């Protein structure tokens, strides 16, 4: 891939500490709620206490009488909706319209001089409801039982069927078949910074400036313009520092519309910051999948056919613009065979409405459940045939000579290292030794388990929760003094794009990192882009940076050749200086060139424009690029308490060219920690009346430092044929890890014949499943 | 999540605090605030008045009264103080172990022993420890001081034996001989325990005091036993099911497990020689 | 609205203000005193991003009323300026111990306290000390590495965790 670089790569591939860190470490970074604007009002919401109810009346007179209250809004005051496309479109109102459809749905918006007063006022608003029977079970909901969530549409809002040719015959004639049901409960991204938004008229231009921690600034601007019927060019979205997003902050939310509209109506700046309870009641939830699965296989464990009924509970509305239920199922159906060579597939998808919080994106979307299904299926087959779990994986893995490989769902795995990553992971883990240790441990009443998880990760797709822009843009300007400013339309929330994009540009331009600044998140400055989501920023943003950098470099080469009286091909760059290759004494600096380009314009080589500015858009050669890898976990389960300790954790990861291994490893660590949560801790629980019981961080358990294992990471590099050979990698670690940990728990409990098919696996589940005996049956 | 309005009063003496408390049934004392303030942030607790006792030096002693063989712990002594105090380390090191299992560092450095006892969360460690240790609570009331034995102090789910206008001033803990053990099971380190047990062994007497498991307060079982710790999980599980109002099999099992683990610790701890002997 | 006059040391400098009794210390620091590195994540004392040092010990500013800071000394990440603090910042950057950065100021404050009190801390002790500071991005490993590298053992010799 060396030819991808305009200069010899000094920066791409290097473990470079981030340029972002300084402001963050000094506490100087400004997150949404840190922004100070004079006369800023605060919004708070009266939220529905019922899962389903008719709104009879709203009495806000007492709220208006509280000093400091500036406005009380209902749907009548801001009759806007977030639209849904599709066969039976159901819009999501900004504030509840006649009915409430999930506990926590915003009914009334209060604006006051402080959040304290706004909360006082919310308590003073009296809403009368007639409760209705809630729809809470997704399988009953498919039959419109107990009723429809929306009168105007059946509960099933997305149904798809797919079958490979010859499926039935292959399935029927297979030597063995097993049936299993896999399930993940509701989980959520739970970024430590909650959502929030500020809308403030710009006093200089009269336009509306919107500050919001969104992953997709340009899309949010477009959405606000369209939904609130505003002129797009009179809106500016600025993304401040974002305290974690993980897909959840890609959506456009009703509260965003309410705040912008309130600022318009009141002609005063308005802010809303979610508190943690509101987060649980209004941030998109995720997962909530059921997979009814049948798998057919032969004596060696070779899988012949898979039949899967994929279901997801989409909640009360399809989250805008990305329905989590459709994402969870339709994408899972396309990669449910993972890195395994399975010829036949039959899938049926049903996504339903319910009286729960809308389902949206959370890192990995379809992936954690698909990996859990696919690895769980392989483990069950191994168990059934009394074969080693690793051996059955070897039997089924797509072989190197099969690549590029089209899976049974029609997805093309462009490249990968499936067998290699698996073998490396076994070696890294020392699989054989752990198996021996496991055996010894059992003899003294200790129960260890090994979990293996091979994953594929479709990245850089045209469409993701961030939007449907299959390209990314980058503007580069060499400033008159010779330093470089670049803008991208990305929406980072900790991924370090300011560093990685600068690394790409530095190699293209032959300048040092400290002379480049990468900006993002301001729609007034950044070229229109798709934002951050779906593991697209590295491959697409990196591609855009590469292309823009190269374009600029070509122009700089012409300058340098002209000034040094040399051929363009002979120009080389280092540290911001161009020289004639091999003759360091003859050089010009970027500063010299910039001076001519902006100030001494008569000296510009003929054919070149004035100035040094380019904007480039990069579209990858393929609609999707697959990363892959293997996770291996060793756990110990205490059968008396059900407590699980992760003893060892190995990751072999292949995301093509690494721009910055340090950042890649950080992403992997974080995803594995979230996988510990997904497998063992995190669950959003509703009661029978549709109340969300887990609305605090005492109930929704995030992994803490003592619970996350030390991870050992090995990188493999199978480049993509896109720019720089980079593939996306933000999600693979959370795609693979729940399956690895759950597999390890199941392996530990294999003496009891217990196998969990539902995530997360809680201590109580474990103890209960073992019956009254904490010692394994002999 | 912001507190509702309340009146704020900073007490200068115990008498002043008790007066204020007696005069307003909706008033609450503000000690470390680690349980009260989150409840107020949720607006679940809505006191009319907060009486801030953080300035009362009389509530802060941590002293060993050796002639009486008593460790005196003021109600406002913070958990982290117990965890790191050389005095506690010298005379009742087991108490430091218990303190370290409470919440996280930042919670321990504000939360007070007295606050925790008066909040009487069934999952809290101190009520069980105090029962196991045979401690006595010294309580100031509108008219007089009185003493309440630990085993009657926590009287129900988040209820104490404190009467109207009474406040906890200090706790007197006998510098007990024998071995101690402590075990708790929580989803994550530092979380409220699902269940836990404190075990004390002295001569042939083994006492287990349980907490958590949705109990109404700490439950105790005393076993007279010459045998070692080898009763095992099932023994304690059966004991728990007889003594405690718990019919949840999972909870019973971890109560049994915690008791067994605590007893093993207590047995190995019994041989240790403390300065107070 | 009755207010209470309070005065305390903030990052070594005396400040005084008049507050409603119900004002949380976290809000006072953030919105009245400009110390916005004190983040707010749950207002329940669980997540730890609002951690400050009160008289040198870690405390949750969301679980304190501003009036409770009267006469005390409060340190926020903005005020961490001794050599150890600078070493911690450098180490966090070098080890990539932060991503979104939201938990970072509180993480630095807790780590600073730990290293001051226990320069000999091993990995398990570091993990325990930081157990009340949640991070959703890093999986903690690089945070542990960043802190470990500043202990007396320099990150060597404690493989006990995991």
């Amino acid at each position: 891939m060396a030819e991808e670089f305009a200069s010899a790569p000094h920066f791409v591939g290097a473990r470079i500490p981030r340029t972002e860190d300084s402001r963050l470490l000094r506490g100087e970074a400004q997150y949404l709620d840190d922004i100070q604007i004079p006369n800023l009002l605060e919004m708070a919401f009266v939220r529905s206490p019922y899962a389903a109810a008719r709104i009879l009346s709203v009495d806000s007179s007492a709220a208006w009488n509280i000093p400091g209250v500036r406005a009380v809004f209902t749907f009548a005051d801001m009759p806007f909706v977030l639209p849904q496309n599709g066969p039976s479109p159901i819009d999501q109102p900004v504030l509840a319209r006649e009915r409430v459809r999930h506990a926590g749905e915003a009914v009334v918006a209060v604006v006051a001089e402080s959040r304290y007063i706004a909360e006082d006022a919310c308590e003073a608003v009296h809403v009368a409801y007639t409760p209705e029977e809630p729809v809470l079970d997704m399988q009953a909901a498919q039959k419109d039982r107990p009723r429809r969530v929306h009168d105007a549409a059946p509960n099933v809002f997305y149904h798809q069927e797919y079958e490979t040719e010859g499926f039935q015959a292959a399935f029927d004639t297979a030597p063995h078949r097993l049936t299993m049901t896999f399930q993940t409960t509701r989980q959520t991204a739970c970024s430590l910074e909650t959502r929030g938004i500020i809308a403030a008229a710009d006093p200089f231009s009269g336009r509306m400036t919107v500050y919001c921690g969104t992953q997709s600034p340009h899309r949010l601007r477009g959405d606000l313009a369209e939904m609130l019927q505003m002129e797009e060019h009179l809106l500016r979205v600025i993304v401040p520092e974002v305290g974690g997003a993980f897909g959840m902050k890609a959506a456009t939310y009703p509260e965003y519309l309410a705040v912008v509209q309130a600022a318009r109506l009141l002609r005063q700046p308005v802010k809303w910051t979610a508190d943690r309870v509101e987060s649980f009641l209004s941030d998109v939830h995720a997962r909530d999948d059921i997979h009814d699965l049948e798998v057919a296989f032969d004596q060696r464990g070779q899988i012949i056919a898979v039949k899967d009924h994929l279901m997801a509970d989409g909640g009360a509305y399809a989250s805008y613009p990305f329905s989590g239920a459709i994402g969870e199922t339709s994408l899972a159906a396309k990669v449910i065979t993972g890195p395994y060579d399975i010829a036949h597939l039959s899938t049926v998808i049903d996504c339903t409405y319910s009286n729960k919080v809308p389902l949206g994106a959370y890192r990995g979307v379809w992936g954690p459940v698909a990996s859990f299904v696919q690895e769980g299926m392989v483990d069950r087959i191994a168990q059934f045939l009394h074969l080693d779990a690793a051996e059955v994986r070897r039997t089924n893995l797509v072989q190197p000579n099969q690549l590029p490989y089209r899976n049974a769902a029609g997805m093309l795995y462009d490249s990968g290292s499936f067998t290699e990553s698996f073998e490396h992971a076994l070696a890294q883990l020392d699989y054989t030794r752990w198996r021996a240790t496991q055996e010894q441990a059992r003899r003294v009443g200790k129960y260890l388990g090994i979990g293996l998880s091979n994953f594929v990760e479709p990245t850089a797709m045209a469409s993701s929760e961030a939007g449907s822009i299959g390209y990314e843009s980058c503007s580069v300007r060499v400033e008159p003094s010779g330093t470089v400013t670049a803008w991208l339309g990305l929406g980072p929330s900790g991924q370090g794009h300011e560093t990685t994009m600068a690394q790409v540009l530095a190699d293209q331009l032959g300048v040092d990192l400290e002379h480049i600044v990468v900006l993002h998140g301001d729609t007034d400055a950044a070229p229109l882009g798709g934002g951050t989501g779906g593991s697209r920023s590295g491959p697409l943003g990196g591609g855009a940076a590469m292309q823009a950098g190269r374009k600029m470099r070509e122009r700089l080469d012409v300058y340098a050749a002209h000034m040094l009286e040399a051929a363009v091909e002979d120009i080389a760059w280092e540290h911001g200086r161009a020289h004639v290759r091999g003759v360091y004494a003859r050089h010009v600096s970027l500063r010299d060139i910039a001076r001519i380009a902006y100030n001494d314009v008569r000296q510009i080589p003929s054919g070149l424009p004035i100035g040094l500015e380019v904007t480039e858009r990069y579209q990858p050669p393929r609609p999707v690029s697959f990363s892959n890898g293997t996770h291996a976990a060793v756990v110990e389960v205490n059968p008396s308490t059900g407590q699980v300790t992760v003893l060892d954790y190995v990751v072999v990861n292949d995301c093509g060219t690494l721009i910055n291994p340090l950042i890649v490893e950080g992403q992997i660590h974080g995803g594995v920690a979230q996988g510990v949560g997904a497998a063992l801790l995190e669950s959003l629980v509703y009661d029978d009346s549709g109340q969300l019981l887990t609305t605090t961080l005492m109930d929704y358990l995030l992994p803490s430092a003592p619970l996350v294992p030390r991870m050992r990471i090995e990188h493999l590099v199978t480049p993509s044929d896109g720019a720089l050979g980079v593939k996306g990698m933000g999600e693979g670690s959370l795609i693979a890890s729940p399956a690895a940990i759950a597999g390890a728990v199941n392996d530990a409990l294999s003496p009891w014949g217990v196998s969990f098919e539902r995530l997360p696996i809680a201590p109580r589940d474990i103890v209960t499943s073992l019956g009254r005996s904490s010692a394994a049956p002999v | 999540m912001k507190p509702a309005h309340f009146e704020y009063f900073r007490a200068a003496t115990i008498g002043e605090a008790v007066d204020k408390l007696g005069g307003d049934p909706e008033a609450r004392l503000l000690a470390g605030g680690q349980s009260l303030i989150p409840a107020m942030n949720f607006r679940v607790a809505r006191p009319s008045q907060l009486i801030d006792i953080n300035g009362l030096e009389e509530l802060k002693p941590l002293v060993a009264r050796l002639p009486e063989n008593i460790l005196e712990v003021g109600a406002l002594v913070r958990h982290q103080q117990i965890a790191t105090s050389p005095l506690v380390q010298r005379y009742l090191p087991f108490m430091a172990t218990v303190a370290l299992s409470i919440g996280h560092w930042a919670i321990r450095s504000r939360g007070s022993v007295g606050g925790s006892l008066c909040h009487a969360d069934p999952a809290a460690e101190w009520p069980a420890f105090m029962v196991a240790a045979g401690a006595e609570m010294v309580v100031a009331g509108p008219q007089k001081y009185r003493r309440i034995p630990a085993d009657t102090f926590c009287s129900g789910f988040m209820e104490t034996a404190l009467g109207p206008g009474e406040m906890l001033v200090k706790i007197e803990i006998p510098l007990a001989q024998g071995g101690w053990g402590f075990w708790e099971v929580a989803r994550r380190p530092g979380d409220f325990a699902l269940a836990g047990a404190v075990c004390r062994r002295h001569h042939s007497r083994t006492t287990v005091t349980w907490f958590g498991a949705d109990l109404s307060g700490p439950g105790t079982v005393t076993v007279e036993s010459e045998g070692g710790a080898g009763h095992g999980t099932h023994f304690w599980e059966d004991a728990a099911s007889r003594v405690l109002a718990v019919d949840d099999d999972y909870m019973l099992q971890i109560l049994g497990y915690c008791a067994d683990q605590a007893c093993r610790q207590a047995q190995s701890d019994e041989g240790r020689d403390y300065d107070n002997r | 609205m009755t207010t209470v006059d309070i005065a305390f040391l903030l990052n070594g400098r005396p400040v005084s203000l008049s507050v409603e009794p119900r004002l949380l210390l976290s809000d006072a620091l953030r919105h009245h005193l400009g110390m916005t590195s004190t983040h707010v994540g749950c207002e329940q004392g669980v997540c730890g991003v609002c951690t400050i040092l009160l008289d040198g010990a870690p405390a949750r500013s969301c679980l304190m009323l501003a009036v409770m800071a009267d006469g005390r000394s409060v340190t926020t990440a903005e005020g961490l300026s001794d050599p150890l603090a600078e070493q911690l910042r450098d180490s966090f950057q070098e080890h990539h111990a932060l991503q979104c950065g939201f938990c970072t100021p509180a993480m630095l404050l807790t780590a600073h306290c730990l290293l001051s009190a226990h320069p000999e801390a091993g990995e398990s002790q570091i993990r325990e000390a930081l157990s009340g500071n949640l991070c959703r991005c890093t999986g903690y490993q690089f945070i542990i590495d960043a802190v470990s590298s500043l202990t007396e053992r320099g990150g060597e010799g404690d493989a006990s965790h995991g």
Side-chain angles (χ1 to χ4, degrees), chain A residues 131-163:
Chain A
E132 297 180 302
E133 187 175 14
V135 178
L136 300 170
D137 180 286
M138 77 173 95
Q139 280 161 310
Q142 286 170 22
K143 304 179 189 94
D144 280 348
R145 287 193 210 128
R147 58 184 190 84
R148 288 183 168 190
V149 173
H150 301 276
D151 296 338
N155 286 335
V156 175
F157 66 90
Y158 183 83
H159 177 89
Q160 288 283 312
E161 297 186 10
Y162 173 85
E163 195 166 287

Side-chain angles (χ1 to χ4, degrees), chain B residues 145-267:
Chain B
Y145 278 59
R146 65 178 179 125
R147 307 170 73 83
I148 307 175
D151 57 3
T152 57
F153 186 77
C154 292
S155 54
F157 181 79
M158 296 189 141
E159 277 175 23
T160 67
L162 288 173
E166 283 190 325
M167 69 180 274
L168 177 61
V169 174
K170 64 186 176 189
I171 306 105
E172 293 181 351
I173 307 167
L175 293 175
Q177 295 185 354
W180 288 94
F182 173 84
W183 198 271
E184 65 180 10
V185 170
R187 291 296 299 275
R188 299 173 297 187
D191 280 1
F192 273 113
L194 297 173
V198 179
C199 176
R200 195 177 147 201
R201 258 180 79 82
H202 190 41
H203 298 314
S204 59
R205 205 157 162 271
T206 299
T207 316
V208 166
T209 310
W210 279 291
F211 59 98
D214 303 323
L215 299 169
S216 55
T220 52
V221 168
T222 310
V223 175
E224 303 280 346
S225 145
E226 283 299 333
H231 288 298
T233 300
H234 290 294
F235 171 86
W236 292 112
E237 202 180 319
D238 290 344
S241 69
R242 282 196 308 276
V243 189
L244 308 174
V246 176
D247 53 6
D248 175 336
D249 278 349
Y250 172 63
M251 280 300 166
L252 282 171
Q253 192 163 330
I254 55 176
L255 286 166
Y257 179 80
C258 290
D260 184 49
Q261 293 293 322
C263 287
R264 286 165 196 270
Q265 272 183 16
Q267 192 181 22

Side-chain angles (χ1 to χ4, degrees), chain C residues 52-115:
Chain C
I52 50 140
L53 304 185
L54 185 74
D55 296 335
R60 304 285 201 236
S61 62
C62 77
L63 298 191
M64 283 184 67
L65 304 169
V67 290
M68 297 170 85
D70 188 39
R72 315 293 293 268
S73 167
V74 171
T75 308
T76 68
E78 288 93 337
L80 270 190
S81 54
D82 64 358
L84 176 59
E86 292 308 323
Q87 285 171 8
L88 265 169
R89 289 191 177 100
D90 290 347
S91 188
F92 266 54
Q93 179 166 30
E94 183 191 334
H95 288 90
H96 187 32
L98 61 155
Q99 290 181 31
C100 83
F102 201 67
C103 72
T104 306
M107 209 58 95
L108 287 173
L109 287 162
T110 309
H112 190 278
C113 257
L114 174 70
L115 290 172

Side-chain angles (χ1 to χ4, degrees), chain A residues 115-116 119-120 123 275 277 638 640-641 643 680-681 696-697 701-702 707 763-764 767 772, chain B residues 1-3 5 42-43 46 185-189 191-192 234 237 248-250 253-254 257:
Chain A
R115 174 79 189 200
Y116 288 76
E119 290 190 17
D120 294 344
E123 286 188 322
D275 63 35
V277 174
N638 180 335
S640 298
T641 62
Q643 289 169 300
L680 303 174
L681 297 167
T696 78
L697 289 177
L701 307 177
L702 300 182
L707 294 183
R764 176 186 286 274
V767 170
R772 302 289 297 165
Chain B
M1 284 187 58
K2 308 295 180 191
H5 285 290
F42 284 115
R43 299 199 177 196
R46 316 179 61 115
V185 170
R187 291 296 299 275
R188 299 173 297 187
D191 280 1
F192 273 113
H234 290 294
E237 202 180 319
D248 175 336
D249 278 349
Y250 172 63
Q253 192 163 330
I254 55 176
Y257 179 80

